[in-house]
Amino acid sequence: MGKTLMMNKLTILLLSFLFSLPLKSQNLILNPSFEEVNETTNRWTGNARLFKERIKYWDSPNQGTPDLLYIYSLGKMHPKRPKVDLSQYSPRTGKLMLGLKAYGCKSGTMHCKEYIQIELNESLLAGEEYYYEYWLCPILPSVKVNSFGIAATKVRQEDFTHIGTIETSPQHVNQTLIHGDSAEWIKVHGTFK
């Protein structure tokens, strides 16, 4: 989630989470398409605290800096980043989407692996089957990536000193390579117990 993007970083645009019981079709995620916000801006997120202040219900469990991207600011993000042009992209629905860095950083900075998390509005039940879906849109010239997934945990993840991958047992890991060859959204979905 091509060759290089700012020191081999990958930025993936993310839109719409659905997490539900198949029979009830009730979404267990508040603000699933990231439209409920406290602030829109044309600046990249500088730290995890800013991300949490800008969007309702979501946060980052590490020092990751997910970016809240507003449709009217996509070609005008500040500060300018070499080789990053979001003007050809747009949210799949609505006016907002998230940008996550899922791979990279040779510099070892604290935000090289970006995650988002949210508390479900109902607890998951043992033995029940749950349907999930999310949409991805890697930007050009992102590297190809797999192993993008979701994890449900009993406790909130929080480690602001962590660099790299958060160790947890995901319920889903997408093994298909996601290409950043176009500005089209790719649906990832399935079920788990």
Side-chain angles (χ1 to χ4, degrees):
M1 284 199 204
K3 278 288 179 197
T4 61
L5 172 63
M6 293 178 51
M7 308 274 289
N8 278 338
K9 294 179 219 167
L10 162 75
T11 300
I12 196 160
L13 302 176
L14 189 63
L15 182 78
S16 298
F17 268 87
L18 176 67
F19 200 64
S20 64
L21 285 160
L23 298 176
K24 295 181 183 175
S25 295
Q26 175 190 1
N27 196 341
L28 301 180
I29 293 182
L30 297 169
N31 197 11
S33 60
F34 315 116
E35 294 291 315
E36 294 181 55
V37 297
N38 295 314
E39 174 189 12
T40 58
T41 180
N42 65 341
R43 299 195 63 79
W44 301 102
T45 304
N47 59 54
R49 179 188 52 79
L50 277 176
F51 174 69
K52 185 174 183 168
E53 288 175 3
R54 289 179 181 159
I55 191 166
K56 293 184 179 182
Y57 310 114
W58 293 91
D59 69 16
S60 175
N62 65 357
Q63 275 297 342
T65 58
D67 296 297
L68 183 60
L69 302 170
Y70 184 50
I71 192 169
Y72 301 113
S73 298
L74 292 177
K76 306 177 256 190
M77 295 299 288
H78 292 286
K80 297 286 184 199
R81 292 187 173 171
K83 300 182 184 176
V84 177
D85 178 14
L86 297 177
S87 61
Q88 66 181 327
Y89 296 90
S90 62
R92 192 180 70 82
T93 62
K95 295 179 182 173
L96 293 156
M97 60 188 169
L98 292 186
L100 295 176
K101 189 183 329 162
Y103 176 83
C105 276
K106 292 180 181 178
S107 63
T109 59
M110 299 297 277
H111 56 81
C112 289
K113 302 280 189 254
E114 294 179 343
Y115 296 86
I116 54 173
Q117 69 179 353
I118 191 166
E119 184 176 345
L120 300 178
N121 59 18
E122 284 184 21
S123 295
L124 300 180
L125 303 173
E128 290 288 332
E129 186 171 63
Y130 292 88
Y131 172 81
Y132 65 86
E133 78 178 43
Y134 55 92
W135 294 80
L136 304 173
C137 182
I139 67 169
L140 293 170
S142 292
V143 296
K144 297 174 183 152
V145 72
N146 63 352
S147 300
F148 194 88
I150 59 169
T153 61
K154 291 182 180 182
V155 294
R156 177 177 215 77
Q157 301 295 299
E158 192 169 73
D159 185 352
F160 294 116
T161 63
H162 190 79
I163 297 174
T165 306
I166 292 177
E167 299 299 323
T168 188
S169 298
Q171 278 67 34
H172 155 74
V173 176
N174 181 49
Q175 295 300 341
T176 304
L177 283 175
I178 304 292
H179 302 267
D181 299 334
S182 69
E184 293 189 29
W185 289 94
I186 300 160
K187 180 179 177 179
V188 179
H189 62 101
T191 60
F192 70 88
K193 283 190 179 185

